[in-house]
């Protein structure tokens, strides 16, 4: 990796927690300069605008999440185990490690104001849902889950309930809402286990 590429990656990594906590609108160039310890020109040399940097930051955060979840799920041999492992991962790591969910944090701002970010967030939502659907379908094919387990419906339920629980947990400064939601989602799997 060339020096310019390393510097660009450094800016993305140092800016990521700032954007994820403060949002795009709430993050100033001064915040980015403070996080990176670079002058404004040093940041602008690699990114033409704060918005361009925010797109790269979202890519970075969603890749981190995707890779971390993939690492957890890959190690579990059964579909049932993968589904529970996925839910456990979301329950235990999202609030502490990343300061919340990038899909929620970036998506809430981009829904009506930034069509490029909206498209990126939408793609991340589909990856999230499709992973759950694939686990359930694989479990149905190998006899772990009954055929009446509606993979699409459950994936939508997991995503929407999870995102709402993250939001409320952050607002109330308590992981209780997320923990309880994950417990509910786990319980809903039980009737479909063969």
């Amino acid at each position: 990796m060339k020096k310019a590429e390393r510097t660009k990656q450094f800016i993305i990594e140092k800016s990521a927690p700032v954007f994820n906590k403060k949002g795009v609108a709430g993050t100033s160039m001064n915040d980015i300069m403070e996080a990176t310890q670079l002058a404004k020109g040093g940041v602008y040399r690699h990114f033409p605008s704060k918005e361009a940097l925010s797109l790269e930051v979202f890519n970075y955060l969603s890749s981190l999440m995707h890779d971390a979840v993939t690492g957890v799920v890959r190690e579990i041999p059964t579909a049932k185990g993968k589904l529970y492992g996925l839910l456990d991962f979301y329950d235990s790591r999202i609030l502490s490690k990343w300061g919340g969910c990038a899909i929620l944090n970036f998506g809430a701002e981009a829904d009506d104001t930034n069509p490029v970010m909206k498209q990126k967030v939408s793609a991340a939502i589909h990856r999230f849902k499709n992973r759950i659907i694939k686990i359930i379908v694989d479990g149905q094919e190998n006899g772990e889950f009954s055929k009446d387990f509606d993979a699409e419906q459950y994936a939508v339920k997991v995503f929407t309930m999870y995102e709402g629980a993250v939001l409320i947990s952050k607002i109330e400064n308590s992981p209780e809402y997320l923990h309880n939601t994950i417990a509910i989602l786990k319980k809903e799997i039980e009737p479909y286990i063969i």
Side-chain angles (χ1 to χ4, degrees):
M1 189 181 282
K2 295 179 182 175
K3 184 178 179 193
E5 292 169 340
R6 283 195 308 271
T7 303
K8 185 174 182 177
Q9 188 60 33
F10 172 80
I11 294 168
I12 292 167
E13 290 175 14
K14 291 296 184 183
S15 299
V18 179
F19 276 109
N20 202 33
K21 288 182 181 164
K22 290 187 165 193
V24 177
T27 299
S28 68
M29 281 308 290
N30 286 336
D31 293 328
I32 296 165
M33 290 163 42
E34 184 178 322
T36 62
Q37 296 297 301
L38 294 172
K40 193 179 284 189
V43 175
Y44 280 124
R45 187 174 304 120
H46 299 282
F47 299 96
S49 67
K50 181 178 79 167
E51 287 70 26
L53 174 57
S54 73
L55 292 170
E56 293 297 325
V57 164
F58 179 77
N59 288 341
Y60 170 72
L61 288 170
S62 60
S63 290
L64 274 181
M65 173 67 86
H66 176 78
D67 294 347
V69 172
T70 298
V72 167
V73 171
R74 185 182 315 140
E75 300 299 318
I76 303 171
T78 65
K80 174 187 160 193
K82 287 179 189 299
L83 205 50
Y84 281 112
L86 181 81
L87 292 170
D88 287 337
F89 173 88
Y90 289 133
D91 189 18
S92 66
R93 304 230 343 237
I94 195 67
L95 292 174
S96 62
K97 184 156 178 127
W98 285 289
C101 177
I103 291 173
L104 177 65
N105 294 342
F106 285 77
E109 268 188 277
D111 63 345
D112 294 320
T113 61
N114 187 332
V116 176
M117 182 65 80
K118 183 177 180 177
Q119 184 178 10
K120 286 183 176 291
V121 172
S122 177
I125 290 168
H126 289 283
R127 280 192 305 274
F128 183 115
K129 282 180 30 197
N130 289 339
R131 182 191 302 268
I132 295 168
I133 290 167
K134 181 176 181 350
I135 291 170
I136 294 169
V137 169
D138 288 349
Q140 289 170 327
E141 290 173 358
N142 69 27
E144 290 181 63
F145 296 129
S146 63
K147 296 291 184 190
D148 60 340
F149 193 175
D150 189 328
E152 174 77 26
Q153 183 181 59
Y154 185 74
V156 168
K157 184 181 285 189
V158 168
F159 181 76
T160 56
M161 287 178 66
Y162 164 75
E163 291 295 340
V166 168
L167 175 65
I168 295 168
S169 289
K170 285 185 70 177
I171 288 172
E172 294 295 323
N173 200 27
S174 169
E176 171 190 354
Y177 298 93
L178 182 57
H179 297 329
N180 289 341
T181 299
I182 295 298
I184 291 165
L185 290 167
K186 282 181 173 180
K187 193 169 182 74
E188 289 196 14
I189 298 168
E190 292 171 10
Y192 302 105
I193 297 171
I194 296 176

